[in-house]
Structure formats: structure tokens, C-alpha cells
Amino acid sequence: MSGQVVFGAGPVGRAIAEELAQSGIDVILASRSGRGPGVTGATRVAIDASDAQAVGELCRGASVIYNALNPQYHRWGTDWPPMAAALLSAAELSGAVLVTVSNLYAYGPVSGPITEELPLDARGTKGRIRAQMFADALRAHTEGRARTVEVRASDYIGPGAESHMGDRVIPRILAGKAVKVIGATDQPHSWTYVTDVATLAIASGADESSWGRAWHVPSNPPRTQEQAVADLAAIADLPAPKVSAYPGWMMAAIGLFSPTVREVRETTYQFAAPFVMDSTAAQQHFGITATPWSEVLTATMNSYREPQPV
């Protein structure tokens, strides 16, 4: 094939595919089921991303491969290693640039602004997995076996984002109900718009001078969870709901029955203290800025009020 391949049909993967298709690029949007909301101009295919042979065949002749996969939270230890290895192998075989969409887990708990220069000092399983994925890709790049780059985002916000400011919060705002959040309500936190992730992923894949390192996605100034909830309510002309945190005992109890909640507890440190991502490097290198906060809020709230494509 000629064109670009996006693995993962979640909100970021679809945003990448949509932006590429709108630019006239031939794009394949690959996911396990091959189903879900369509993207005009993109071809959807079903694939097991851990099948290195199938992934290699799909990516033959591609110019860029985007890893926007998102395994089930409690299956990261099982699912991520073979999928990451398959996509890296495909990049080596095809000569395509591998752009990996990642997060801030690999840094572990930090004090002060989070920059790309910080060591990857994760103490939890998920953070160590992300750190190893980056180390493997960087080694392949350094050794000349592949061309790789990584873009890192803080917690997502935006249409379809399954995040701390998503399904557990917005329906309650719309219903006029109180909101409960994980961690502290009053600590500054960076939020990254899904469309801005796509914009940086595409820009980095096309810019040879950006390869061989990680970049932080341009994001708006931090907002506490209480402020973010109030902002979402205000943009929809609704009263700000009461915001409180789940008590620790409740999280532990829910975790006994929910593997996802059990895994979330590993990263609650991100909401217990200031968690602020510095994206200065990417803004200066690419000339990209974050989508204005008001636009992020409007798009996010509208997505819950409008019928979603199927």
C-alpha cells in the first residue's frame, strides 16, 4: 500500500485518521473489530495488532505508522508488549516512521513541571510498560533500524475521551447532579484535547528533525478537577455541581469487583498533588499551540448532547 496506517480507533486514532483523510492522504484505520464510527475518506480494517506478520503485511509500503492503541486497562501487562513489538517490527520492515501516542505514566510521581527531560522513573506496572516501549523504540531509532518518535499527553478531554472528565462526569453535569472524582479536587492538573494529540502526532511524523525523542502535546494552562467541572457546566449554561472526591476506602472496595478501578489506583498520585505538563518544547519546535480552552469545553459538551455516529 501507499499511505499511512493508524492503529487504534479510539478518539485519538479517529482524530488522526480524520485529519489525514481531510489532507488527501490515503489512510487505513485499523482496530481489532474493524467496526465503529466511520471516518470519511479512511478505510477501516480489522486486525489483531499483536500478530506481527499481519501487521507487517498491512503496513508494507506505508510512510507513517501511528500507534494509538489502547488495550483494556487491566490487560496492559499482557497485551501491550506483543502489540508494541509488532508495530515496531513493521516500522523496521517497511521503513515507515513509527509515531507512538503515549502519556505521562513513565515519569512516575514528580515534583514541579513535567518536561521531556525528566527521567522515566515509573514505579508502577503501567508506567514501566510505557517506559520500556519508549526505550525499545528509541534503541531501534538510535541503531538505525527504524525511525521513531513519541508524543505524550496528559489526561484527555474532548469528544469520546474516556477520561476523568468524560463519562463519569459530564452526564451528571447535564443531569444537575453532584460529581465525584478520583483524587483531590483542588490540585492543578493538565488536560489535553484529543484533537491536539492528533495534530502533534501528524506533525511529528512528517518532521524528520523531530524524530528520535518524545514531545509533549501543547495543552492549556492547568485546571483543578473542581475548576474543570465548573468550566464544563458554565459553557453549557448550567449551574456548577458540587464536586467531591471518592474516599480511599470506597476506591479500595470498588476495586475488589472492578479490575479497571483496581488498576486506576496505581496512578491516583497524578491527582493528589499538582500535575502540570510543560509543552514549551513542542510549541516552539512545531509552532503549534493548544486549542483554546473555551473551544475544548464547547466541543466536549456538545458531543454529549448530540447523537453520536454509529
Side-chain angles (χ1 to χ4, degrees):
M1 65 157 289
S2 62
Q4 303 186 15
V5 185
V6 182
F7 286 87
V12 172
R14 292 197 305 273
I16 293 172
E18 182 175 352
E19 188 170 331
L20 290 172
Q22 289 176 348
S23 299
I25 295 172
D26 291 332
V27 55
I28 289 176
L29 180 57
S31 65
R32 178 174 291 276
S33 69
R35 299 189 300 271
V39 175
T40 302
T43 301
R44 293 204 61 154
V45 301
I47 192 169
D48 177 358
S50 66
D51 184 335
Q53 181 176 349
V55 170
E57 292 174 356
L58 181 65
C59 295
R60 186 179 293 120
S63 59
V64 184
I65 299 168
Y66 299 90
N67 180 355
L69 293 164
N70 187 25
Q72 294 184 54
Y73 216 48
H74 62 286
R75 291 188 55 85
W76 274 33
T78 302
D79 293 354
W80 254 135
M83 292 195 301
L87 268 64
L88 181 56
S89 174
E92 293 183 30
L93 292 172
S94 66
V97 180
L98 174 62
V99 180
T100 300
V101 177
S102 189
N103 54 31
L104 306 180
Y105 290 0
Y107 296 114
V110 300
S111 177
I114 305 169
T115 68
E116 295 93 333
E117 286 73 32
L118 288 176
L120 302 185
D121 193 27
R123 301 166 194 175
T125 300
K126 287 178 288 299
R128 289 196 296 268
I129 288 172
R130 279 294 190 182
Q132 187 61 56
M133 288 170 59
F134 178 68
D136 291 343
L138 183 60
R139 183 180 306 109
H141 182 91
T142 302
E143 295 175 354
R145 294 184 284 111
R147 300 175 295 170
T148 68
V149 63
E150 182 164 291
V151 298
R152 297 174 183 160
S154 191
D155 288 276
Y156 292 155
I157 187 169
E162 298 175 1
S163 71
H164 292 269
M165 285 297 137
D167 292 347
R168 292 192 301 271
V169 168
I170 296 177
R172 298 190 68 84
I173 296 174
L174 293 172
K177 297 180 179 180
V179 169
K180 281 192 175 296
V181 297
I182 295 172
T185 64
D186 60 354
Q187 296 300 304
H189 193 91
S190 292
W191 306 95
T192 304
Y193 188 38
V194 291
T195 300
D196 292 337
V197 182
T199 297
L200 182 61
I202 293 170
S204 65
D207 181 359
E208 183 175 355
S209 68
S210 74
W211 302 340
R213 59 162 291 175
W215 300 93
H216 288 173
V217 180
S219 302
N220 282 283
R223 302 290 283 168
T224 69
Q225 293 193 90
E226 186 171 30
Q227 289 172 330
V229 170
D231 292 344
L232 286 163
I235 207 74
D237 293 323
L238 296 171
K242 178 182 178 181
V243 181
S244 59
Y246 286 106
W249 65 264
M250 184 178 293
M251 291 292 293
I254 296 174
L256 294 174
F257 306 96
S258 169
T260 298
V261 172
R262 190 160 57 244
E263 292 297 319
V264 165
R265 294 177 63 196
E266 180 185 311
T267 57
T268 53
Y269 66 85
Q270 297 182 352
F271 291 94
F275 195 76
V276 180
M277 181 179 70
D278 185 329
S279 57
T280 303
Q283 292 181 51
Q284 293 179 344
H285 182 89
F286 296 97
I288 296 173
T289 57
T291 299
W293 186 235
S294 61
E295 294 182 24
V296 172
L297 297 169
T298 298
T300 302
M301 292 303 289
N302 285 347
S303 71
Y304 280 82
R305 288 177 148 175
E306 299 169 353
Q308 296 302 296
V310 294

